[in-house]
Each structure stands twice: as structure tokens, then as C-alpha cells.
Short mmCIF file of all heavy atoms in Angstrom, two decimals:
data_model
loop_
_atom_site.label_atom_id
_atom_site.label_comp_id
_atom_site.label_asym_id
_atom_site.label_seq_id
_atom_site.Cartn_x
_atom_site.Cartn_y
_atom_site.Cartn_z
N VAL B 829 0.12 6.54 10.27
CA VAL B 829 -0.34 5.94 11.45
C VAL B 829 -1.85 5.67 11.46
O VAL B 829 -2.58 6.69 10.98
CB VAL B 829 0.06 6.70 12.71
CG1 VAL B 829 -0.38 8.04 12.60
CG2 VAL B 829 -0.34 6.03 13.97
N ALA B 830 -2.27 4.55 11.79
CA ALA B 830 -3.67 4.26 11.69
C ALA B 830 -4.19 4.34 13.25
O ALA B 830 -3.45 3.83 14.13
CB ALA B 830 -3.92 2.84 11.15
N SER B 831 -5.47 4.64 13.36
CA SER B 831 -6.01 4.63 14.64
C SER B 831 -7.56 4.49 14.66
O SER B 831 -8.12 4.61 13.53
CB SER B 831 -5.78 5.99 15.47
OG SER B 831 -6.37 7.11 14.70
N GLY B 832 -8.07 4.04 15.64
CA GLY B 832 -9.53 3.93 15.76
C GLY B 832 -10.20 2.59 15.46
O GLY B 832 -11.36 2.41 15.46
N SER B 833 -9.30 1.70 15.00
CA SER B 833 -9.98 0.38 14.58
C SER B 833 -9.88 -0.63 15.74
O SER B 833 -8.80 -0.66 16.40
CB SER B 833 -9.07 -0.24 13.41
OG SER B 833 -9.64 -1.40 13.01
N ILE B 834 -10.94 -1.34 15.95
CA ILE B 834 -10.86 -2.46 16.94
C ILE B 834 -10.41 -3.71 16.23
O ILE B 834 -10.22 -4.73 16.90
CB ILE B 834 -12.26 -2.64 17.47
CG1 ILE B 834 -13.28 -3.09 16.39
CG2 ILE B 834 -12.78 -1.41 18.22
CD1 ILE B 834 -14.73 -3.41 17.06
N PHE B 835 -10.27 -3.67 14.90
CA PHE B 835 -9.63 -4.88 14.18
C PHE B 835 -8.29 -4.47 13.79
O PHE B 835 -7.89 -3.31 13.47
CB PHE B 835 -10.54 -5.11 13.00
CG PHE B 835 -11.93 -5.44 13.34
CD1 PHE B 835 -12.97 -4.55 13.05
CD2 PHE B 835 -12.31 -6.64 13.92
CE1 PHE B 835 -14.30 -4.81 13.34
CE2 PHE B 835 -13.74 -6.91 14.25
CZ PHE B 835 -14.65 -5.98 13.94
N SER B 836 -7.43 -5.53 13.60
CA SER B 836 -6.09 -5.28 13.12
C SER B 836 -6.22 -5.12 11.56
O SER B 836 -7.21 -5.38 10.96
CB SER B 836 -5.09 -6.38 13.52
OG SER B 836 -5.64 -7.59 13.02
N PHE B 837 -5.08 -4.78 10.97
CA PHE B 837 -4.97 -4.51 9.52
C PHE B 837 -4.19 -5.70 8.93
O PHE B 837 -3.07 -5.97 9.31
CB PHE B 837 -4.38 -3.16 9.22
CG PHE B 837 -5.16 -2.02 9.65
CD1 PHE B 837 -4.82 -1.29 10.84
CD2 PHE B 837 -6.38 -1.68 9.07
CE1 PHE B 837 -5.54 -0.16 11.34
CE2 PHE B 837 -7.11 -0.59 9.44
CZ PHE B 837 -6.81 0.20 10.56
N ASN B 838 -4.81 -6.31 7.94
CA ASN B 838 -3.99 -7.28 7.10
C ASN B 838 -2.96 -6.77 6.25
O ASN B 838 -1.74 -7.03 6.33
CB ASN B 838 -4.92 -8.06 6.27
CG ASN B 838 -5.76 -9.19 7.00
OD1 ASN B 838 -5.22 -9.69 7.97
ND2 ASN B 838 -6.92 -9.56 6.52
N THR B 839 -3.32 -5.62 5.58
CA THR B 839 -2.42 -5.09 4.60
C THR B 839 -2.43 -3.49 4.85
O THR B 839 -3.38 -2.91 4.96
CB THR B 839 -2.86 -5.29 3.10
OG1 THR B 839 -2.98 -6.66 2.92
CG2 THR B 839 -1.95 -4.76 2.12
N MET B 840 -1.17 -2.94 4.80
CA MET B 840 -1.05 -1.53 4.83
C MET B 840 -0.04 -1.14 3.61
O MET B 840 0.78 -1.96 3.33
CB MET B 840 -0.49 -1.06 6.13
CG MET B 840 -1.39 -1.23 7.23
SD MET B 840 -0.86 -0.50 8.79
CE MET B 840 -1.24 1.31 8.43
N GLY B 841 -0.19 0.05 3.20
CA GLY B 841 0.66 0.42 2.08
C GLY B 841 0.43 1.78 1.50
O GLY B 841 -0.23 2.64 2.12
N TRP B 842 0.86 1.95 0.20
CA TRP B 842 0.85 3.25 -0.37
C TRP B 842 0.42 3.14 -1.83
O TRP B 842 0.89 2.23 -2.54
CB TRP B 842 2.32 3.86 -0.37
CG TRP B 842 2.75 4.09 1.07
CD1 TRP B 842 3.45 3.28 1.80
CD2 TRP B 842 2.51 5.27 1.85
NE1 TRP B 842 3.65 3.82 3.02
CE2 TRP B 842 3.14 5.04 3.11
CE3 TRP B 842 1.92 6.51 1.61
CZ2 TRP B 842 3.07 6.03 4.17
CZ3 TRP B 842 1.93 7.47 2.59
CH2 TRP B 842 2.43 7.20 3.77
N TYR B 843 -0.47 3.97 -2.17
CA TYR B 843 -0.88 4.33 -3.67
C TYR B 843 -0.42 5.76 -3.93
O TYR B 843 -0.18 6.51 -3.02
CB TYR B 843 -2.31 4.12 -3.78
CG TYR B 843 -2.70 2.65 -3.96
CD1 TYR B 843 -2.69 1.72 -2.86
CD2 TYR B 843 -3.31 2.15 -5.12
CE1 TYR B 843 -3.14 0.46 -2.80
CE2 TYR B 843 -3.75 0.79 -5.23
CZ TYR B 843 -3.66 -0.01 -4.14
OH TYR B 843 -4.09 -1.26 -4.21
N ARG B 844 -0.35 5.98 -5.25
CA ARG B 844 -0.20 7.42 -5.65
C ARG B 844 -0.98 7.72 -6.78
O ARG B 844 -1.37 6.97 -7.58
CB ARG B 844 1.39 7.72 -5.88
CG ARG B 844 1.88 6.90 -7.19
CD ARG B 844 3.31 7.08 -7.36
NE ARG B 844 3.89 6.38 -8.48
CZ ARG B 844 5.18 6.38 -8.75
NH1 ARG B 844 6.04 6.75 -7.93
NH2 ARG B 844 5.58 5.59 -9.93
N GLN B 845 -1.20 9.06 -6.96
CA GLN B 845 -2.02 9.53 -8.09
C GLN B 845 -1.42 10.83 -8.69
O GLN B 845 -1.40 11.89 -7.88
CB GLN B 845 -3.46 9.81 -7.66
CG GLN B 845 -4.39 10.12 -8.78
CD GLN B 845 -5.82 10.02 -8.50
OE1 GLN B 845 -6.27 9.97 -7.29
NE2 GLN B 845 -6.71 9.94 -9.53
N ALA B 846 -0.98 10.83 -9.84
CA ALA B 846 -0.43 12.01 -10.53
C ALA B 846 -1.61 12.75 -11.19
O ALA B 846 -2.63 12.17 -11.46
CB ALA B 846 0.60 11.60 -11.49
N VAL B 847 -1.34 13.91 -11.57
CA VAL B 847 -2.33 14.82 -12.20
C VAL B 847 -2.72 14.07 -13.56
O VAL B 847 -1.90 13.77 -14.35
CB VAL B 847 -1.85 16.24 -12.39
CG1 VAL B 847 -2.83 17.03 -13.23
CG2 VAL B 847 -1.55 16.92 -11.07
N GLY B 848 -4.03 13.97 -13.77
CA GLY B 848 -4.44 13.39 -15.05
C GLY B 848 -4.27 11.85 -15.18
O GLY B 848 -4.64 11.36 -16.15
N LYS B 849 -3.88 11.14 -14.12
CA LYS B 849 -3.82 9.77 -14.12
C LYS B 849 -4.54 9.09 -13.00
O LYS B 849 -5.01 9.69 -12.06
CB LYS B 849 -2.24 9.40 -13.92
CG LYS B 849 -1.36 9.89 -15.06
CD LYS B 849 0.03 9.35 -14.91
CE LYS B 849 0.84 9.75 -16.09
NZ LYS B 849 2.22 9.19 -15.99
N GLU B 850 -4.86 7.82 -13.14
CA GLU B 850 -5.45 6.97 -12.11
C GLU B 850 -4.54 6.71 -10.94
O GLU B 850 -3.36 6.63 -10.99
CB GLU B 850 -6.02 5.70 -12.85
CG GLU B 850 -7.05 5.93 -13.82
CD GLU B 850 -7.61 4.52 -14.31
OE1 GLU B 850 -7.14 3.53 -13.92
OE2 GLU B 850 -8.63 4.63 -15.13
N ARG B 851 -5.25 6.46 -9.85
CA ARG B 851 -4.45 6.03 -8.73
C ARG B 851 -3.86 4.59 -8.93
O ARG B 851 -4.43 3.72 -9.41
CB ARG B 851 -5.33 5.92 -7.40
CG ARG B 851 -4.64 5.83 -6.12
CD ARG B 851 -5.68 6.05 -4.96
NE ARG B 851 -6.20 7.29 -4.93
CZ ARG B 851 -6.85 7.87 -3.93
NH1 ARG B 851 -7.12 7.08 -2.79
NH2 ARG B 851 -7.40 9.09 -3.89
N GLU B 852 -2.52 4.50 -8.46
CA GLU B 852 -1.89 3.25 -8.75
C GLU B 852 -1.09 2.81 -7.53
O GLU B 852 -0.68 3.56 -6.70
CB GLU B 852 -0.78 3.44 -9.96
CG GLU B 852 0.22 4.46 -9.67
CD GLU B 852 1.34 4.53 -10.70
OE1 GLU B 852 1.14 3.92 -11.75
OE2 GLU B 852 2.31 5.27 -10.47
N LEU B 853 -0.92 1.49 -7.46
CA LEU B 853 -0.22 0.90 -6.34
C LEU B 853 1.23 1.31 -6.38
O LEU B 853 1.81 1.22 -7.41
CB LEU B 853 -0.41 -0.61 -6.36
CG LEU B 853 0.28 -1.35 -5.22
CD1 LEU B 853 -0.60 -2.65 -4.75
CD2 LEU B 853 1.67 -1.93 -5.60
N VAL B 854 1.85 1.65 -5.21
CA VAL B 854 3.13 1.83 -5.05
C VAL B 854 3.91 0.66 -4.36
O VAL B 854 4.77 0.09 -4.82
CB VAL B 854 3.53 3.12 -4.35
CG1 VAL B 854 4.95 3.31 -4.20
CG2 VAL B 854 2.88 4.35 -5.05
N ALA B 855 3.39 0.35 -3.18
CA ALA B 855 3.98 -0.68 -2.38
C ALA B 855 3.04 -0.98 -1.19
O ALA B 855 2.40 -0.14 -0.65
CB ALA B 855 5.30 -0.29 -1.79
N VAL B 856 2.86 -2.22 -0.87
CA VAL B 856 2.10 -2.75 0.24
C VAL B 856 2.90 -3.76 0.99
O VAL B 856 3.74 -4.51 0.40
CB VAL B 856 0.75 -3.34 -0.23
CG1 VAL B 856 -0.18 -2.23 -0.78
CG2 VAL B 856 0.91 -4.49 -1.07
N VAL B 857 2.44 -3.93 2.23
CA VAL B 857 3.09 -4.96 3.07
C VAL B 857 2.01 -5.62 3.96
O VAL B 857 1.06 -4.97 4.46
CB VAL B 857 4.15 -4.37 4.05
CG1 VAL B 857 3.58 -3.19 4.87
CG2 VAL B 857 4.79 -5.36 4.90
N THR B 858 2.03 -6.86 3.93
CA THR B 858 0.98 -7.62 4.74
C THR B 858 1.38 -7.76 6.25
O THR B 858 2.53 -7.49 6.61
CB THR B 858 0.77 -9.03 4.03
OG1 THR B 858 1.89 -9.79 4.19
CG2 THR B 858 0.34 -8.89 2.66
N SER B 859 0.43 -8.43 7.00
CA SER B 859 0.64 -8.62 8.39
C SER B 859 1.84 -9.60 8.55
O SER B 859 2.43 -9.55 9.67
CB SER B 859 -0.60 -9.13 9.08
OG SER B 859 -1.08 -10.30 8.37
N ASP B 860 2.09 -10.48 7.59
CA ASP B 860 3.24 -11.41 7.85
C ASP B 860 4.52 -10.80 7.17
O ASP B 860 5.47 -11.55 6.91
CB ASP B 860 2.94 -12.84 7.23
CG ASP B 860 2.68 -12.78 5.68
OD1 ASP B 860 2.75 -11.73 5.09
OD2 ASP B 860 2.59 -13.89 5.18
N ARG B 861 4.47 -9.53 6.82
CA ARG B 861 5.54 -8.83 6.23
C ARG B 861 5.89 -9.17 4.85
O ARG B 861 7.02 -8.86 4.48
CB ARG B 861 6.81 -8.85 7.20
CG ARG B 861 6.52 -8.37 8.69
CD ARG B 861 5.95 -6.91 8.65
NE ARG B 861 5.83 -6.38 10.07
CZ ARG B 861 4.75 -6.35 10.76
NH1 ARG B 861 3.67 -6.90 10.30
NH2 ARG B 861 4.76 -5.80 12.05
N THR B 862 5.07 -9.77 4.11
CA THR B 862 5.30 -9.97 2.71
C THR B 862 5.04 -8.50 2.04
O THR B 862 4.14 -7.83 2.35
CB THR B 862 4.22 -10.91 2.09
OG1 THR B 862 4.36 -12.18 2.77
CG2 THR B 862 4.37 -11.03 0.61
N LYS B 863 6.02 -8.23 1.06
CA LYS B 863 6.07 -6.94 0.49
C LYS B 863 5.80 -7.08 -1.05
O LYS B 863 6.44 -8.03 -1.67
CB LYS B 863 7.33 -6.26 0.79
CG LYS B 863 7.55 -6.03 2.19
CD LYS B 863 8.98 -5.34 2.52
CE LYS B 863 9.23 -5.29 4.03
NZ LYS B 863 10.51 -4.64 4.33
N LEU B 864 5.15 -6.03 -1.51
CA LEU B 864 4.85 -5.95 -3.04
C LEU B 864 5.14 -4.63 -3.48
O LEU B 864 4.58 -3.67 -2.83
CB LEU B 864 3.34 -6.38 -3.36
CG LEU B 864 2.95 -6.20 -4.79
CD1 LEU B 864 3.59 -7.30 -5.61
CD2 LEU B 864 1.42 -6.37 -4.88
N TYR B 865 5.84 -4.48 -4.56
CA TYR B 865 6.22 -3.26 -5.16
C TYR B 865 5.81 -3.04 -6.60
O TYR B 865 5.78 -4.05 -7.40
CB TYR B 865 7.75 -3.01 -5.06
CG TYR B 865 8.36 -2.95 -3.64
CD1 TYR B 865 8.86 -3.99 -3.14
CD2 TYR B 865 8.36 -1.73 -3.02
CE1 TYR B 865 9.40 -3.96 -1.86
CE2 TYR B 865 8.98 -1.58 -1.73
CZ TYR B 865 9.45 -2.77 -1.13
OH TYR B 865 10.05 -2.63 0.05
N ALA B 866 5.44 -1.89 -7.01
CA ALA B 866 5.26 -1.63 -8.45
C ALA B 866 6.63 -1.76 -9.14
O ALA B 866 7.75 -1.34 -8.49
CB ALA B 866 4.71 -0.21 -8.63
N ASP B 867 6.72 -2.10 -10.36
CA ASP B 867 7.93 -2.38 -11.03
C ASP B 867 8.63 -0.98 -11.13
O ASP B 867 9.91 -0.98 -11.14
CB ASP B 867 7.66 -2.84 -12.38
CG ASP B 867 7.22 -4.38 -12.50
OD1 ASP B 867 7.48 -4.94 -11.41
OD2 ASP B 867 6.64 -4.78 -13.52
N SER B 868 7.92 0.12 -11.22
CA SER B 868 8.53 1.40 -11.44
C SER B 868 9.33 1.92 -10.22
O SER B 868 10.09 2.83 -10.32
CB SER B 868 7.43 2.51 -11.85
OG SER B 868 6.43 2.49 -10.71
N VAL B 869 9.11 1.32 -9.07
CA VAL B 869 9.82 1.74 -7.88
C VAL B 869 10.67 0.72 -7.21
O VAL B 869 11.41 0.98 -6.25
CB VAL B 869 8.85 2.20 -6.80
CG1 VAL B 869 7.87 3.29 -7.37
CG2 VAL B 869 8.08 1.12 -6.16
N LYS B 870 10.77 -0.52 -7.83
CA LYS B 870 11.61 -1.61 -7.23
C LYS B 870 13.11 -1.09 -7.25
O LYS B 870 13.51 -0.55 -8.26
CB LYS B 870 11.45 -2.86 -8.09
CG LYS B 870 10.21 -3.69 -7.84
CD LYS B 870 10.12 -4.91 -8.68
CE LYS B 870 8.79 -5.59 -8.45
NZ LYS B 870 8.69 -6.80 -9.27
#
């Protein structure tokens, strides 16, 4: 849940970071509900 912004959010989603690895995209969704997934979680 997001709070405190006077502007709306275009995109919200999730990234993850495993030990010893870089942060990577998991899934995001835009304001028009377009969704994007990492291949590993589709």
C-alpha cells in the first residue's frame, strides 16, 4: 500500500533481490492495467 503522494502512480509492481544477486523485476502493472512479468515467473 502506498501513501503520502499527492500524485497518482503510473506503475506499481515488485522486484526481488536474492543473496549475491542484483535486484530484478518480477512483475509490474501500469495505471491502465497492462501487466509485465519476468519470464521466470510467468
Side-chain angles (χ1 to χ4, degrees):
V829 58
S831 63
S833 177
I834 62 173
F835 302 106
S836 59
F837 295 105
N838 279 334
T839 302
M840 296 188 74
W842 298 90
Y843 281 65
R844 68 186 180 187
Q845 187 167 18
V847 174
K849 295 188 176 181
E850 294 187 353
R851 192 172 296 190
E852 62 177 5
L853 180 145
V854 177
V856 293
V857 55
T858 64
S859 55
D860 65 359
R861 301 306 188 261
T862 300
K863 300 175 182 180
L864 174 68
Y865 294 95
D867 287 343
S868 59
V869 307
K870 283 180 181 176

